[in-house]
Amino acid sequence: MHIQETLRTPVANGYDVAVCGGGFGGIAAALAAARKGKKVLLLEKQYELGGLGTAGIVTIYLPLCDGCGKQVSFGIAEELLRLSITHGAEGLYPDNWLTGNGERSRDTARFQVQYNPHVFAILAEQRLTEAGVDILYGTYVVGVDRQGDRIAHLITENKSGRQAYPVGTVVDATGDADVAAMAGAPTATYGHGNKVSAWYYYVGSEGYRLQMLNHPDAGQQHFTGLDGREVSDFVQLSHAATLDHFLRLRGSDPSVWPVNMATIPQYRMTRRLVGEYTQHDTEQHTFFSDSIGMVGDWRKRGPVYEVPFGTLYSAQVKNLLCAGRCTSVTDAMWDIMRVIPCCAVSGQAAGTAAAMGQDMTTLDVTALQAQLQKDGVVLHEQDL
């Protein structure tokens, strides 16, 4: 059964670039586009920036290096890492990278930090507003007006009701390729699903701690993250796991109390773009002529990946790019690309490209690369 609705959607002021999602990919994209002088709108359904890295309590800024002494991710990826520890780190403070004290090799600390989620969210908000980005919190993208092979309007809902924003170029940094799917771009879902995670912070006799509670016994079911009822079930299992773990801790330390838990579901991989190129995890140390930056493998030392521009867009929707954890990769590569530094690398490239044109199929990739290099990004492993 369906109910026929008559919707009247007022048209709001337009933007050169609209970024959907305010995680690390969206932050990087919005910053990059605004710094090119574009009028930028950032739409975020939560009430703080950072996505899984703040509201999701996954507060480890994973490595910018290859694990063998070479930094591989630069530009806004490094800027946001340093921003996150402006007022100190919660842990993982590598002196060899941050202050230059000590060696950098396969046997030394990697270029990663643990940061406070709330401090970072506020600092990121300030940096974006200083750059001229308009941020709309509590705002969902609920549809698109696609005209031909481009998105003409984004349809949103928030406390003001339903509105349509005319857009030049769109960056989908939702983490779930929501806008890409709405626009009819080709997408794929993660076949293995997500197990329940329940990271949270607590205090006790040993002080303030981040508890990285992964795959608790409370939930062995695998979730796609793309169904409303399923999302609610996932969150309730996560809450139950947090409570159970806290009570077990308290059995030996009565001073233990939870002080912060995730306010969004801690999904890793859900849906992604199927772009002009799909990158494989076997393509480490591979030269790509259209590279827009590099990433390492957070799980092990050694691999370096150049990221092709073709992973960020599909020719079927020419003014849409994807950034963050929903770029075009295989399932095995997805586990590498879903983390914070990789999101920031793809975000900076997507935001820069969005500022340079409205048709990704005809964009001058050489000019894009030159701009990224001017902004501090190293594109190829041979240039390290």
Side-chain angles (χ1 to χ4, degrees):
M1 178 180 178
H2 296 275
I3 296 173
Q4 184 66 40
E5 294 182 90
T6 300
L7 297 175
R8 299 179 63 85
T9 305
V11 177
N13 293 328
Y15 285 84
D16 300 319
V17 177
V19 179
C20 307
F24 280 79
I27 292 168
L31 271 178
R35 287 171 175 172
K36 301 297 172 288
K38 298 301 179 180
K39 184 180 180 183
V40 179
L41 175 66
L42 176 59
L43 302 166
E44 170 52 52
K45 62 185 179 182
Q46 305 301 324
Y47 291 88
E48 65 178 342
L49 298 172
L52 272 178
T54 55
I57 310 297
V58 182
T59 53
I60 309 294
Y61 203 120
L62 288 166
L64 301 179
C65 67
D66 66 352
C68 300
K70 290 183 179 179
Q71 182 176 346
V72 297
S73 299
F74 298 85
I76 292 178
E78 181 178 355
E79 176 185 347
L80 294 181
L81 180 146
R82 292 183 181 275
L83 181 69
S84 75
I85 54 170
T86 299
H87 302 290
E90 289 190 348
L92 296 174
Y93 187 95
D95 279 333
N96 56 333
W97 292 100
L98 294 168
T99 63
N101 295 323
E103 296 182 355
R104 302 172 186 174
S105 70
R106 183 178 287 274
D107 300 317
T108 59
R110 297 189 69 174
F111 195 176
Q112 60 184 336
V113 299
Q114 182 181 334
Y115 58 92
N116 181 271
H118 311 298
V119 173
F120 174 77
I122 296 170
L123 292 175
E125 177 183 274
Q126 292 177 345
R127 186 146 300 187
L128 285 164
T129 55
E130 288 166 1
V133 176
D134 286 347
I135 303 171
L136 273 183
Y137 287 122
T139 302
Y140 283 78
V141 179
V142 296
V144 303
D145 168 33
R146 175 172 166 174
Q147 297 180 12
D149 56 11
R150 65 182 306 276
I151 297 171
H153 299 83
L154 289 176
I155 314 301
T156 68
E157 287 188 358
N158 58 21
K159 281 291 185 181
S160 298
R162 194 174 178 92
Q163 290 182 301
Y165 287 91
V167 291
T169 312
V170 177
V171 177
D172 183 344
T174 61
D176 302 317
D178 286 336
V179 178
M182 291 174 190
T187 61
T189 56
Y190 184 59
H192 304 290
N194 294 264
K195 292 183 179 180
V196 173
S197 294
W199 291 31
Y200 73 101
Y201 282 93
Y202 68 89
V203 294
S205 60
E206 296 182 354
Y208 173 73
R209 293 287 185 272
L210 171 64
Q211 177 61 50
M212 294 179 280
L213 190 59
N214 289 317
H215 311 161
D217 294 338
Q220 292 305 310
Q221 181 181 352
H222 289 228
F223 296 81
T224 67
L226 300 172
D227 175 83
R229 172 53 57 191
E230 184 192 80
V231 170
S232 294
D233 291 343
F234 181 101
V235 169
Q236 290 174 67
L237 286 169
S238 178
H239 290 169
T242 298
L243 179 63
D244 177 71
H245 189 270
F246 149 64
L247 291 174
R248 284 190 279 119
L249 284 178
R250 206 162 193 223
S252 57
D253 183 357
S255 68
V256 167
W257 282 105
V259 293
N260 198 1
M261 69 178 186
T263 56
I264 62 174
Q266 295 170 337
Y267 291 123
R268 266 50 172 184
M269 294 165 278
T270 57
R271 179 171 54 203
R272 63 167 177 83
L273 178 73
V274 176
E276 294 306 291
Y277 187 82
T278 298
Q279 187 165 21
H280 294 247
D281 65 314
T282 57
E283 293 174 316
Q284 53 188 268
H285 310 297
T286 299
F287 177 88
F288 284 99
S289 61
D290 64 339
S291 173
I292 49 79
M294 289 179 290
V295 301
D297 187 336
W298 62 274
R299 307 165 306 179
K300 59 187 177 183
R301 296 172 183 261
V304 177
Y305 294 92
E306 298 185 10
V307 181
F309 179 59
T311 63
L312 305 188
Y313 77 96
S314 163
Q316 294 189 32
V317 187
K318 293 182 177 179
N319 67 332
L320 172 69
L321 300 114
C322 283
R325 70 174 197 225
C326 53
T327 58
S328 184
V329 292
T330 63
D331 280 3
M333 189 66 191
W334 208 340
D335 193 41
I336 297 169
M337 286 298 295
R338 65 179 174 82
V339 299
I340 290 174
C342 306
C343 291
V345 167
S346 63
Q348 180 172 3
T352 304
M356 294 177 66
Q358 298 183 11
D359 183 346
M360 296 307 109
T361 66
T362 60
L363 189 77
D364 185 341
V365 178
T366 302
L368 168 63
Q369 291 174 310
Q371 184 61 64
L372 289 170
Q373 287 178 308
K374 182 179 179 181
D375 295 334
V377 176
V378 180
L379 301 176
H380 301 292
E381 188 174 8
Q382 66 189 25
D383 299 327
L384 291 174

